[in-house]
Each structure stands twice: as C-alpha cells, then as structure tokens.
Amino acid sequence: MTAAPLPPVAPEVTATLVEDLSPRLRKRLDAAVTKLGTRPTHRDGDTVTIAVDDDTELRLHAPGGVVATVDAITCGCLLAPACVHRAAAACAAPAADPAPESAAESAPDAAPDPAAQPAAPRVPDSTPAPGDTTPPTAPALATTPASAPATTAPAPAPAPDGATPAQREAAAVLWSAGAAVLEAGVAGAGAVAQAALLRAAHTARLRQLPRGASAALSVVTLLRAARAGDPSYRTADLVTALAELLGTAHRVGTASGAELAAVRGRARRPYSPDGSLRLYGLFTEPVVTDSGHGGARTWVATADGRLCTVGDVAPGGVGRALGVADRTVRLGDTALTHRELGRAGLAVSGATVSPDGRLGAGKGVKAVTARGAAWTEPPLAALWETPPAEQAARALRSVSRYAEPGGGGSDLLFLDVEILGAVRESAGTCLLARCDGGVPVRLAVADDDPALAHRDNLMLLATAPGTRLRIIGRLVPAPHPRLTLLACSHPTGESTVDLGFDRLSRADLPDPGAPVHSAPAQPGDAGTESPLHLLERRVEQTVPAGRATLGMLGDITAEARRLRRAGLPTAAGLLIALRASAARRERDLFGRLLPADTDGFAAHWLAAARYTAAVAESLCAAAWEPGPGALTHAPTAAAAPT
C-alpha cells in the first residue's frame, strides 16, 4: 500500500469516540495513536483505509473531504465498534474546521491562508503604563484571594446585553479544558485531554462562540505537533494559543455590547461589497509555508491609501511560488500576472473585500487593466509620508498576539532609508539602515530558501553603504526596530524590485565593496537585555511539563529583585504569585493532599502571559520613537485580561 494522509475529522466525532471508551481503553489510547501512525494507509475515493494488522482494516469515510459522523469510522477487529482503533484513528487525523468559508465568498486567496498570521492572539485590553503602584501580590484576573480556591472561569453576573447562560457554560468548559492542559503540560496532555478540548470547541461553536472554538482547535493542533516532534513546533506558539483560549473564555462572562461581539468572534470571514475600486500595484511577495503551501501575494493600494491583497496560495512549496508569480491574476477579466500587477493598476467594479484586505473574486467582480503609479507619485507616495513611529504602532496592532480578530490593518511599513552596511547577529547577517529621525533599523531576510532571491539581494545591498532607498518591509516585533525586507526602489531609481523574485546584480549598485559593520548596542543585545525574559521563561516553562515544574523551582528572590531594579515591579509580583500558586497544595484534616487548584493557577499564568506580551509590544513601539531615551523605556504596570 502507498501512504495516504488521513482526512480531517470533525471535533465532535473524535470527542464522542474517546468519551465512549472504557477507562481501561482510554489508558491505552495514546499508545494506540502512536502505533496507528506507523501503519500503511491507502486512499480509494472518499475512503482512507489503515491496515491495523495483516488481517484487520480500519476505514475512514470522508464524503466532501471530512469525516463528519461517528459511523463513518469503521473497524474490522473483533471488538468493534467498542475497540480502541476507531478513537485512535480519529485522534491521529487532523481536526476539521467545523465552519469552513462558503465558496460564494472565497477568492483564490480567500480560503484559509496558511501564511497569514493566526487570527486571535493580539494586544491586551489594557496596556502597561509608567508609574505602576499596584501591589504585586496577585494578578488582576483572579476573582478570589490567593489562598482561596478559584472557581471555574470566574465571572461576575453579566450585563443585560451580555452572554447567555448557555454561552457562559460553554466558556466555563473551554476554561476547564485549557486549565487542564496547563496542569498536565504537553507531556500529560494526550488524546483524552485533547478530546476534552475538541468537545469544548464543538460546544462553543454550537453556542455561537467561534473565537473560543477556534482557539481550542489551535491548542489541539499544537499539542499534537509538540507530541509528534514536529520540527516546526514552537513552545511560544502554544503559549499564545493557550492564553488566547483562557483569555477568551474568561471574557465571555464579563463582556457586553461590542466587546462581547468581538469575544464571540465570527465563524466566517465576511466579504463586504466595496463598489468600484481603483487599485495601484505596490509589489508581489512569494509565500512559502512550513506546511508545504506555496504561492504569491500581490499588494495593491486604493486611491484613498487602503491596502488590499490578491493572492494564490495552495499546496506546492517554493516551486509553486516561483511559478504562480507569472500566472494571470484570477480577478475579473484582467490578463495581468501577479508580478505585472505589482507595477500596474486595476479598475474593479463589484469589488468585495474582507476585513484583512483580501479581494474577493466572485462572479460579480469585474476588473480591467489600468495605469499604475510610481512609488513617488500620488496616491502611493502618501504611504511613505507617515512618520515611522506611527507606522510601527499601526503595524504592531496588526501583529500583536492578543488583538481582537477581524480588526484589519497591515503589518507593512513604508520607509525611506539610508543603507549603513551589514550586521552580524547570532541568527545570521542582516542589513543595517537608518530611517527618518535617525532611528537605526535592521532589515532581515523574509525567507532564507536559496531558490528565492531574498538572501542574495540583501547581501548585495549591504555592500553599498550610503545608498538611499525607498523600501517596504514587514514589522518584526522586537525590542529594537526590525523589519523583514520585501521590496525596494531600484538603486538607479528607475523602477522597483520585488526582493523575493527579482535578482539584483553588482552592476545595479553605485558603490560595491563595503565592510561588515558592528551592531550598535540595543535592547536585545548582550548587556542591555530587558530582564522581562525572567518572567517569560517561567510562563513558557509551564507548557511542556505542567504546573508541577514551576512548583519545584527553588528560590526566585534574586529574579524578582532584578525585575524590580529594572523598573518592572509588576513582573516581579506576577513571578512570585505564579511560583506560589504552582507550589500551593492544601491538605485535609487527615493530612491528605487535596486536588490542586488548577483554576487559580491558570488565572495567575494567564495574567503573566498577557503581561509579558504587553510589555514586549510596548518596548517594540517605543524603540521606533526618535530620541536617545526611547529604546530603554520599559512600562511597569500590569496588563491583566479584563
């Protein structure tokens, strides 16, 4: 047999199969999932067959590409249907998104874009501010004293326009499932814990809480990647997903009005009619993801300066990305390719646009080729007139980990810079430039794949110090100004360069042969690093091994003292409270240990995770402010969820 990928399984199917197992079989489930992953598979139409052994086959029937019912998974063993194999197959398969976008509103790039930022994680509701005087004894999230047990997903009575009782109940289930993952860690969050998350996601979806449901599915996907040793897995991603899950579940009980609508989220990406648009091409970038998808995305601007995208991303990797760039854009009747559109224009009627700027390509959309504009001509020239600090603040709102979904905005910056040379860093070499206001900016490679032109172009530009360029880059959140370089004006000033596709040569440069520069001391470099990482690493440390890991920590007084000396008293208080909550175990009258307060620990962990994200983002925004003191500003107030 040839290997075939397993079809996605609906969350409620997996949850039901696991819940129906006997306690004895649940203990064997993780081993069964691992064993099933090594068995050969074969696809025949809508059915995927797994050879459990030489005499037994397991079948997953997926009409429409998704296993939607419990009966669609059948096993030929003697214990079926009460065997462990059916549940193991469901746990080994990807979790299906229960609310895919409708075909009517999908464009070539309107399907879920693997290269897009995760929807959910963004900026906290309250950001740190100088002069914190809050007693650092417990996070603002906790609704009970540190010594008392916290209730599940604590929340006061809702306002009249608040969540329904059914939604608050679903949010409580989401909270409990997320808190259980924190308690056990990745090592202990096996198939049973994942099934609880899937059940919580399904319930949340039925109660019109798609944002919480999506967060729960993200946690399941990352847990499976971590346990499978997926090289693309990062602990920071799971930290963000867990904090999004817990934060959303908590806020359901407290939010009302517009805030509640944002907390509930949307099951589908809405494409709104936008009438007639005059679009001006900016540049085209290659899209290559770790999941094997590839394609191109072309950025355009409207006459009033709004940014939109036209993309084509599908399975295929870097080879597909290189090919798609020269394919015709599937938008109306235009014959332009993606790379041509990046320098030309379109006149569109019947346009539809999603909140994140994607242009729809429905039957009612008509588009014809029109004249473009140079970066120095209206309306594009206005993009470079906004001060860099304002652009960075706007971009940060787009990429920050806990902003409200669907808020729109772009993570692109438009700068006029002077090249200073190359800078060696621990992760490689990047380009150092100076933008308006004298702020030094590090320009990193957007993609290191040798088939793309990013690395070669950046290294070539580094040999021409003094060259002035108009650039477009994507913000990289860091305690110093940093972008990934996507496009620039040609050094001769005659055209523009898509740095992922177009290759510069030495003949294009005015002054080759510059030496490599030493990097100036900035936050993030040795000797000037903010001690915020002392709290960040404890937040991340919880995820792989669970609460008990923090509970066994030794004395953290020195770490707390260092945070206070750096002007971060709230960080010090959160660290102490987190450590104390992890170590706290109450005993009954007979001296027996009582169950751990998983809800209380989850509340402390969530406050710490949200706080560290808020401070890191504040440092990033401050770094773009011109002036000698901007880079060392560090806010101190807590940013606990509300």
Side-chain angles (χ1 to χ4, degrees), residues 609-620:
R610 296 291 294 264
Y611 171 84
T612 55
V615 174
E617 290 159 7
S618 295
L619 287 171
C620 176

Side-chain angles (χ1 to χ4, degrees), residues 35 42 61 77 94 105 129 235 245 249 272 316 319 324 368 401 417 449 461 485 499 514 521 601 615:
K35 181 179 179 180
H42 173 71
H61 184 53
C77 75
E105 63 187 14
T235 300
L245 171 61
S272 304
V324 165
V368 295
R401 283 181 266 176
V417 302
D449 194 303
L461 290 172
L485 190 57
L499 291 167
F601 175 72
V615 174

